[in-house]
DNA sequence: AAGTGGTCTAGACCACTAT
DNA sequence: TAGTGGTCTAGACCACTTA
């Protein structure tokens, strides 16, 4: 559970916002009031509020207060680091994962360059398709460094790999670099996806790092054009 | 100028990283050392370091220090809020902006719903194409609320609107919501862009807000498929 | 054991917004 | 003028890494 005081404040405030107890446009209690309310220093309260601001839930206005933003407008953010399982829960749609390939392979040149590891490094290779409302829409190709993930199974891949890594293995994921481009369909895309007559797919390539800056995963997620949507919340300056 | 102490520290540290004085993998001086160095309290130093971490320049590791990340790997980030002009400067390519439409119009229903303003509100409508290396690749359609931007000219649009808003008018942009999807080409796309025989474009829709949560701009940026690239840096937890 | 970053405090002064 | 958020300080204790 949230053992840090600022995370606790963050969670509770987010809940009151999400729960609709505060409408968009209303202001949160002032920092001093919250400070008394939670028995926390003002800086600790500010830490929680700044997190809410970063994630697009409030806007802090000098002299006024912390205004609640309309978070429904764009609905859920696909931004940041979220796994497919977390995503599909927002969908509320029937999502089915099918594992097409699951193997432990030696890194060839292509993989080695993506994971910046030596050739012959042992790598888990997983190919999965994601079916939503009866159509195979997304093709996920994952490569995981076995030195970091010693064990894996087909069953885990049918569920959520992230859930396993963070929950079971206690692996702490630090950050990721993502690139979104549009590429021509490959034969692999056509084999595993319901592509209709689209000539292109949206390719999302992710490099995932541990807390200690170790690169341990490369993922290529290929989406059918018409079903792709990416939402982002961005701030101009820094918080 | 950076009048805040933590911004000054941020700028200087970023410069030493960018300038190559620190290689990827090396560690910054510890927070206590930087604290002495800059004559600032440790919390102030931490504020600067957390900004560097958020923006993907360093990774802070407990017990070790602040490790410099390889920021070249993905090259420039298109993420966050950047205008086309800032972007094209990174390109180093010949970028030409052509203004196709520049007019003050009354909001019709379509625009009014995007800008959540009443009908008949006065809106600047600008349509521009962006040419890179001799090809018209991007079509930008901007709608700006005249109540916020009282004056605008074709010349300004040929340059950077953001530069004008922030520099000349002193408008403080707070945040933006962005959505990336793929759409079928319209006749407008075909008229203004060198589309070859692509059937789709990447559509980036942005809603831009002021510091005080006023929505004042809606922009639709339409990119030719093969030239689109979006790079993102994401952290799992919060900083 | 020494050094690192992570959390938290109690207080200060400032700039801005409301009235 | 009173209240708000923004910056900054000096100090404390903790968890973690390294030697």
């Amino acid at each position: 559970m949230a053992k840090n005081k600022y995370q606790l404040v963050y969670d509770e405030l987010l809940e009151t916002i999400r729960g609709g107890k505060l409408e968009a446009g209303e202001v949160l209690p002032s920092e001093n009031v919250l400070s008394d309310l939670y028995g926390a220093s003002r800086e600790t309260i500010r830490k929680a509020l700044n997190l809410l601001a970063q994630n697009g839930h409030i806007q802090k206005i000098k002299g006024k207060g912390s205004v609640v933003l309309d978070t429904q407008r764009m609905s859920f953010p696909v931004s940041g680091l979220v796994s497919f399982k977390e995503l599909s829960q927002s969908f509320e749609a029937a999502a089915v994962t099918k594992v097409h390939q699951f193997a432990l392979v030696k890194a060839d040149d292509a993989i080695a360059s993506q994971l910046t590891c030596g050739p012959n490094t042992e790598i888990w290779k997983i190919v999965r398709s994601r079916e939503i409302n009866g159509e195979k829409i997304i093709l996920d190709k994952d490569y995981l460094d076995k030195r970091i993930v010693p064990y894996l199974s087909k069953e885990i891949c049918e569920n959520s790999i992230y859930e396993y890594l963070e929950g079971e293995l206690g692996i702490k994921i630090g950050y990721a670099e993502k690139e979104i481009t549009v590429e021509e369909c490959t034969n692999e895309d056509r084999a595993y996806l319901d592509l209709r007559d689209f000539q292109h797919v949206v390719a999302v390539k992710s490099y995932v790092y541990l807390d200690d800056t170790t690169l341990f995963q490369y993922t290529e997620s290929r989406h059918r054009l018409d079903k792709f949507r990416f939402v982002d919340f961005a701030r101009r300056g820094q918080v």
Side-chain angles (χ1 to χ4, degrees), chain A residues 35 43 49 83 112 125 127 130 163 165 169 176 183 188 237:
Chain A
S35 182
E43 284 292 351
L49 292 180
S83 71
K125 177 181 179 182
V127 178
R130 315 292 200 163
E163 221 168 84
L165 295 181
L169 292 188
E183 297 186 359
E188 197 178 29

Side-chain angles (χ1 to χ4, degrees), chain A residues 3-239:
Chain A
K3 66 175 176 211
N4 294 333
K5 202 177 271 193
Y6 75 88
Q7 282 174 350
L8 193 140
V9 176
Y10 174 86
D11 290 342
E12 288 203 16
L13 289 177
L14 183 54
E15 197 43 52
T16 69
I17 293 173
R18 283 237 177 92
K21 287 167 196 157
L22 281 170
E23 303 255 324
E26 292 193 275
V27 295
L28 292 178
S30 79
E31 295 179 349
N32 284 317
V33 171
L34 288 172
S35 182
D36 289 346
L37 216 60
Y38 284 97
S41 78
R42 199 180 141 217
E43 284 292 351
T44 300
I45 296 296
R46 285 177 54 73
K47 208 163 178 177
L49 292 180
N50 283 334
L51 280 183
L52 288 169
Q54 273 175 45
N55 295 348
H57 299 110
I58 63 172
Q59 174 74 5
K60 307 182 77 178
I61 304 178
K62 205 185 295 187
K64 271 191 178 171
S66 298
V67 181
V68 177
L69 296 182
D70 184 6
T71 177
Q72 308 300 45
R73 186 172 173 69
M74 281 295 209
S75 73
F76 66 94
V78 184
S79 179
L81 263 177
V82 279
S83 71
F84 175 78
K85 179 132 190 208
E86 294 172 63
L87 244 181
S88 60
Q89 285 172 344
S90 326
F91 279 133
E92 290 288 0
V96 181
T97 296
K98 191 165 175 183
V99 179
H100 296 283
Q101 284 183 47
F102 173 79
L104 188 59
V105 302
K106 304 265 186 203
D108 59 20
D109 287 351
I111 301 178
S113 78
Q114 296 296 348
L115 282 175
T116 52
C117 62
N120 296 325
T121 310
E122 283 191 306
I123 302 289
W124 296 105
K125 177 181 179 182
I126 303 124
V127 178
R128 296 177 289 180
S129 66
R130 315 292 200 163
E131 186 178 313
I132 298 174
N133 294 329
E135 285 190 298
K136 297 194 207 67
I137 298 285
I138 304 172
L139 184 68
D140 275 353
K141 298 163 67 175
D142 291 271
Y143 301 91
L144 294 106
D145 194 322
K146 184 165 185 290
R147 290 170 297 185
I148 309 297
V149 187
Y151 177 72
L152 205 56
S153 74
K154 202 176 170 185
E155 287 67 40
I156 293 169
C157 296
E158 279 162 357
N159 235 285
S160 167
I161 296 183
Y162 269 125
E163 221 168 84
Y164 170 69
L165 295 181
E166 295 196 314
E168 301 291 317
L169 292 188
I171 286 180
K172 280 179 262 172
I173 295 169
Y175 57 98
E177 291 166 337
K178 284 189 193 185
E179 182 192 47
I180 302 176
T181 55
V182 179
E183 297 186 359
E184 290 189 9
C185 296
T186 64
N187 287 333
E188 197 178 29
D189 296 330
R190 292 197 185 85
Y192 295 125
L193 295 181
D194 297 325
L195 274 188
R196 297 186 183 172
D197 51 358
F198 293 115
Q199 301 296 311
H200 297 81
V201 292
V202 178
V204 181
K205 296 170 185 169
S206 303
Y207 302 84
V208 187
Y209 296 79
L210 299 180
D211 252 3
D212 65 357
T213 78
T214 307
L215 173 61
F216 83 106
Q217 178 183 10
Y218 170 72
T219 295
E220 195 171 325
S221 193
R222 301 174 75 83
H223 301 243
R224 201 173 79 187
L225 281 190
D226 60 326
K227 293 296 184 181
F228 179 77
R229 181 168 179 261
F230 180 86
V231 179
D232 196 26
F233 179 85
R235 292 197 169 273
R236 181 68 170 171
Q238 315 302 339
V239 177

